[in-house]
Amino acid sequence: MDFHGIHFPDKDEPQTPGKKLSEGRNANVYEWGNDRVIKLFKSTYPSEKITAEYYNALAVKNLGFNKSVVCELKKTEFGFGIIYKKIAGENMLDYILRTGDLKGAATELASLQKKINAFSFDSSKTEALESAHQILKNQMLVTKKADSDATKEMIRFLGTMKEGNALCHGNLHPGNVLMTEDGVVALSASGYCIGNKLYDVAKTFFLIAYTPVPGEQESSCCPGCRGISNMEERKEFGRYYLDAMGKTATEIGGYLSMIIAGM
Ligand SMILES: Nc1ncnc2c1ncn2[C@@H]1O[C@H](COP(=O)(O)OP(=O)(O)OP(=O)(O)O)[C@@H](O)[C@H]1O
Ligand SMILES: [Mg+2]
């Protein structure tokens, strides 16, 4: 059991963030001392989402796959942050930009996801992670008219789909993967949940293939954009990825519709 109550500062505890590693929509990531990073959330980001990411990260911390290992949830004078162990590696988007190796990257991404999806949970016995169906339902209810016939129909259809009990990353795309000497490592704990593997594959496929490229809609640009600079490359990457996962567009179609319905 992880102790995550009071953390006594060690003598080397940094007082201020170091070099900025990334600028995101909801958080910026900085070095934190020599061997850690801090993901500092913007003041507009809801605190319940920060604690949800922290508890997700704790839930998977001891599972045997390469991931960004969580250390603590921290209140700093710069806002709330989650501290993770620092990983030395190249972001998969930068790797793609440098090498153009779409097929190799897609294969690595798929191999990491298969390892994650191989873990299963009895969702009736764990409260640590939300179910993918609950996440999909909530997204439809907050983004669409909750009482519209279309939303009701989508939610009814979701209820007919097999829930599954696999660990899903929920936010796996090349921007959330570092390539290291020890293999590929998953970042971002915000989307971990329990569900059907097809949900996770559909979510990654969506993040790869359906999000706008830079210049199209700058404001809603997602982290999956950088590096895969045009729609044709995205589609190609998506095809390599599905092949490597051993899934077809038809198989993920149901979950893809549910994800799009929640946008
Ligand atoms: N543990 C880590 N070690 C080294 N670099 C990291 C680590 N965690 C994050 N980074 C760097 O910061 C970037 C952003 O991290 P992360 O994906 O967690 O934040 P985000 O994109 O803002 O949020 P999210 O993906 O959860 O929506 C990563 O792409 C990576 O370059
Ligand atoms: Mg990210």
Side-chain angles (χ1 to χ4, degrees), residues 71-96:
C71 301
E72 73 180 273
L73 179 64
K74 196 168 186 68
K75 188 175 182 210
T76 75
E77 60 178 293
F78 310 98
F80 279 99
I82 301 178
I83 295 177
Y84 291 97
K85 283 189 187 156
K86 186 176 169 189
I87 301 156
E90 182 178 26
N91 192 288
M92 187 179 273
L93 283 175
D94 292 325
Y95 170 81
I96 292 171

Side-chain angles (χ1 to χ4, degrees), residues 157-179:
F157 186 66
L158 178 65
T160 68
M161 294 169 71
K162 200 163 174 267
E163 284 215 35
N165 61 357
L167 176 65
C168 298
H169 183 281
N171 195 11
L172 198 70
H173 58 75
N176 276 343
V177 171
L178 288 183
M179 303 181 74

Side-chain angles (χ1 to χ4, degrees), residues 64-184:
F65 66 93
N66 285 343
K67 73 191 82 66
S68 182
V69 174
V70 70
C71 301
E72 73 180 273
L73 179 64
K74 196 168 186 68
K75 188 175 182 210
T76 75
E77 60 178 293
F78 310 98
F80 279 99
I82 301 178
I83 295 177
Y84 291 97
K85 283 189 187 156
K86 186 176 169 189
I87 301 156
E90 182 178 26
N91 192 288
M92 187 179 273
L93 283 175
D94 292 325
Y95 170 81
I96 292 171
L97 199 60
R98 184 170 62 78
T99 64
D101 179 17
L102 291 174
K103 189 172 182 183
T107 307
E108 293 278 354
L109 187 70
S111 80
L112 174 63
Q113 193 161 25
K114 283 181 192 169
K115 282 181 198 145
I116 295 172
N117 294 165
F119 290 94
S120 59
F121 285 79
D122 182 341
S123 52
S124 64
K125 291 190 186 147
T126 177
E127 291 175 5
L129 293 170
E130 234 184 323
S131 83
H133 275 214
Q134 195 56 49
I135 290 172
L136 286 167
K137 190 173 163 186
N138 289 347
Q139 277 168 351
M140 282 187 235
L141 291 176
V142 296
T143 53
K144 299 277 184 291
K145 277 193 176 155
D147 57 352
S148 78
D149 286 346
T151 302
K152 283 184 198 156
E153 183 53 24
M154 290 305 275
I155 290 174
R156 190 197 64 74
F157 186 66
L158 178 65
T160 68
M161 294 169 71
K162 200 163 174 267
E163 284 215 35
N165 61 357
L167 176 65
C168 298
H169 183 281
N171 195 11
L172 198 70
H173 58 75
N176 276 343
V177 171
L178 288 183
M179 303 181 74
T180 77
E181 284 180 355
D182 301 324
V184 285

